[in-house]
Amino acid sequence: MGILVEATSAAGHLWLLLSRTSILEQIILICALPSLWVLVGIVRSLLDRGNRHVPIVGKGTSPVLPIWRARIRYINQGVELIKKGYLKVGSGTGPPDTDWTAVTVHPTFLQIVGRTSARIFVGLPLCRNPLWLETSIDFARCVFLGSGILKVIPSVIRPIAALFSPHMHRIRRHHRNARKVLLPEILRRRQQASITPDWKVKKPNDMLQWLEDASEGADARPERMVDRQLGMSFAAIHTTTNHLTNVIYDLAARWDEYGPELRAEVEEVLAETNGAWKKTTLTKLSKMDSFMKESQRLNPPSALSFNRKLQTSYTIPSSSPPQTLPKNSYIAVAAGPISVSESIYESPATFDGLRFHRMRLAVGGSAQSHQFVTTGLESMTFGHGRFACPGRFFASNESKVILGLLLMQYDVKFANPSGKPAEALRPTNLVFADACYPDPEVKVMFKRRAA
């Protein structure tokens, strides 16, 4: 339930659904949405050429299940990468693996998430190819920065400005590099499929092969499959990294309150499977799921959700009197302000890591309620309905495995010599237009868990 507000800018009309609480705070968001369409235009150039990725990703985690064990093994390798390559535990003056070490979280987890996602998207051995990793990780960064610059330039001269943008040049270079890496593999697989009698059994099990199997006609052109791989990397890597970074910041600020309890839950669940990570393992991590959702509630990736541009005029039948939204209007839902509405949550400004765990217990522990991936009119960070983010299941499972392995092996905290409260330790996020993201330069203290 909310109020529909109209605004007009050089980019056209914008209609924003505002919740009835804190209206004044939400009105400042109205001018932000048109700037999103520069970014959307760049990504659409990748995904609108074909939509075979939609039904594949839209199946939730089902395509991932056959290679779940391989994925777990690769994420375990990622934990070793944290230990040996990034966290450099034991590099200080204390005993090896027992001293506290300051780590810049965001770039560290950017590499971990990038490599883990690559294992699912392109499989072995390409997931370890340095050129593909650099391309898939930096591509999204260039899109965000390039669109951020172009959006302040009048649309009439924007195409000319793009010719001189270093980020646009890098985007084009990433396209070339992606084709250099992936095209030979696509053609190799097609050749193998034509000469291998039992190819259906031996073929790779990754997103590249899923696209190959599902694509028909023009969608099956190798160049389009490469473009869709870049689009998938854009959608998966930085969003999950930002989410994990926010979770680590919240955990480090409140380690004594939540760390031992979350670790105990992981240990309890793993004990049921003799230490093996399975799909059912992740569904039982109710407290971790709650902690992740609470972190996202207070640190959403954007203040707006369900961003759309109307291709035709539309009359809202439930409004009184009926309101007609003109063609080319932009619409959005103020998902960020809704998530901190006092009419929905008790003490909405206070971080409560087990808030959604208790809410699930209150309705009988329903597996479908108040989950990290659950969408609804009160939780629209992932959108809602038919076009809710199809990759949220992948991001949730990936995050849980990484966090679970980290909890089992490391203690985390913020350096706090002056004894500040948790709220003061938690770094303030950065805001750009409607986007909200964690400070990428913040350091967190890590220590190898005592045996």
Side-chain angles (χ1 to χ4, degrees):
M1 309 347 348
I3 298 175
L4 198 63
V5 177
E6 178 186 13
T8 304
S9 70
H13 292 278
L14 166 65
W15 295 86
L16 185 64
L17 181 63
L18 303 178
S19 64
R20 292 190 181 278
T21 58
S22 46
I23 295 282
L24 293 178
E25 296 180 7
Q26 298 175 44
I27 290 179
I28 63 173
L29 300 174
I30 292 179
C31 296
L33 184 63
S35 66
L36 294 174
W37 296 100
V38 178
L39 170 62
V40 172
I42 295 175
V43 180
R44 281 182 59 190
S45 69
L46 301 178
L47 300 185
D48 279 1
R49 297 175 186 172
N51 64 352
R52 296 313 305 166
H53 62 286
V54 174
I56 291 174
V57 179
K59 294 177 183 178
T61 57
S62 55
V64 180
L65 298 182
I67 57 171
W68 191 257
R69 292 182 180 176
R71 179 183 178 187
I72 297 298
R73 287 198 300 271
Y74 194 76
I75 296 179
N76 272 302
Q77 295 173 14
V79 173
E80 287 303 307
L81 181 63
I82 294 176
K83 173 184 175 183
K84 297 178 179 179
Y86 294 92
L87 297 190
K88 300 180 181 178
V89 174
S91 61
T93 58
D97 287 347
T98 61
D99 57 317
W100 287 99
T101 302
V103 178
T104 307
V105 172
H106 188 272
T108 299
F109 278 83
L110 183 60
Q111 292 295 319
I112 299 301
V113 173
R115 297 183 185 209
T116 304
S117 299
R119 176 62 182 87
I120 307 301
F121 291 165
V122 299
L124 291 169
L126 294 183
C127 64
R128 297 171 180 168
N129 185 301
L131 182 58
W132 172 250
L133 291 173
E134 190 273 336
T135 296
S136 61
I137 291 174
D138 192 58
F139 172 75
R141 177 176 177 272
C142 291
V143 170
F144 278 116
L145 293 176
S147 64
I149 295 173
L150 291 177
K151 73 179 183 182
V152 300
I153 298 175
S155 58
V156 176
I157 62 174
R158 196 172 289 157
I160 299 176
L163 297 175
F164 299 95
S165 167
H167 299 105
M168 297 302 294
H169 282 291
R170 288 171 65 181
I171 289 173
R172 288 187 281 270
R173 176 167 61 85
H174 288 321
H175 274 281
R176 293 192 298 269
N177 288 340
R179 296 186 178 193
K180 179 180 178 181
V181 173
L182 296 184
L183 285 180
E185 176 65 11
I186 294 173
L187 298 178
R188 184 193 71 80
R189 293 186 183 190
R190 291 184 176 182
Q191 182 182 23
Q192 289 295 315
S194 65
I195 63 176
T196 305
D198 55 349
W199 176 249
K200 289 186 178 180
V201 178
K202 294 184 177 180
K203 65 182 179 180
N205 207 344
D206 50 43
M207 175 65 77
L208 189 62
Q209 190 62 44
W210 302 336
L211 288 173
E212 172 70 13
D213 294 342
S215 298
E216 300 174 352
D219 283 346
R221 290 178 52 191
E223 293 81 5
R224 288 195 175 186
M225 293 178 62
V226 173
D227 288 345
R228 288 197 289 277
Q229 282 287 343
L230 279 177
M232 294 296 297
S233 297
F234 169 87
I237 295 176
H238 285 262
T239 51
T240 302
T241 299
N242 287 344
H243 165 64
L244 278 171
T245 301
N246 274 319
V247 172
I248 293 299
Y249 289 171
D250 288 322
L251 183 61
R254 305 168 178 86
W255 174 260
D256 292 339
E257 182 179 0
Y258 294 106
E261 188 167 2
L262 294 179
R263 175 181 289 165
E265 180 185 51
V266 175
E267 293 175 337
E268 179 182 351
V269 171
L270 288 178
E272 298 176 3
T273 58
N274 294 321
W277 286 87
K278 299 181 179 181
K279 177 65 170 62
T280 53
T281 303
L282 303 182
T283 60
K284 294 179 180 179
L285 295 174
S286 176
K287 294 179 181 179
M288 179 187 292
D289 187 278
S290 174
F291 193 93
M292 288 168 44
K293 190 173 182 70
E294 179 73 353
S295 179
Q296 184 191 67
R297 183 183 72 84
L298 292 175
N299 305 284
S302 173
L304 303 176
S305 181
F306 203 79
N307 309 306
R308 298 292 187 271
K309 181 179 180 180
L310 297 182
Q311 301 300 308
T312 61
S313 60
Y314 177 75
T315 300
I316 303 175
S318 60
S319 61
S320 180
Q323 291 181 288
T324 299
L325 309 183
K327 178 181 178 180
N328 295 326
S329 294
Y330 300 100
I331 62 174
V333 172
I338 289 174
S339 68
V340 291
S341 170
E342 293 183 353
S343 64
I344 300 174
Y345 299 106
E346 182 180 352
S347 303
T350 301
F351 184 94
D352 182 353
L354 302 182
R355 180 192 301 272
F356 295 99
H357 173 68
R358 293 194 304 272
M359 291 172 68
R360 290 182 69 181
L361 293 178
V363 294
S366 171
Q368 303 300 321
S369 64
H370 307 299
Q371 288 191 50
F372 177 72
V373 297
T374 302
T375 68
L377 299 182
E378 299 174 353
S379 180
M380 299 190 68
T381 299
F382 288 120
H384 186 47
R386 178 183 176 187
F387 296 106
C389 173
R392 66 190 188 278
F393 304 96
F394 176 90
S396 174
N397 290 335
E398 185 174 37
S399 299
K400 287 180 181 178
V401 174
I402 293 177
L403 286 172
L405 292 169
L406 185 143
L407 283 165
M408 294 295 289
Q409 299 191 42
Y410 294 96
D411 295 335
V412 299
K413 70 176 184 179
F414 281 115
N416 188 21
S418 57
K420 296 180 180 178
E423 290 73 16
L425 289 176
R426 210 291 185 191
T428 302
N429 282 358
L430 306 179
V431 176
F432 181 74
D434 67 299
C436 176
Y437 51 94
D439 188 336
E441 299 182 357
V442 172
K443 295 182 181 293
V444 172
M445 305 297 291
F446 283 77
K447 184 179 72 170
R448 183 76 175 186
R449 183 186 178 188

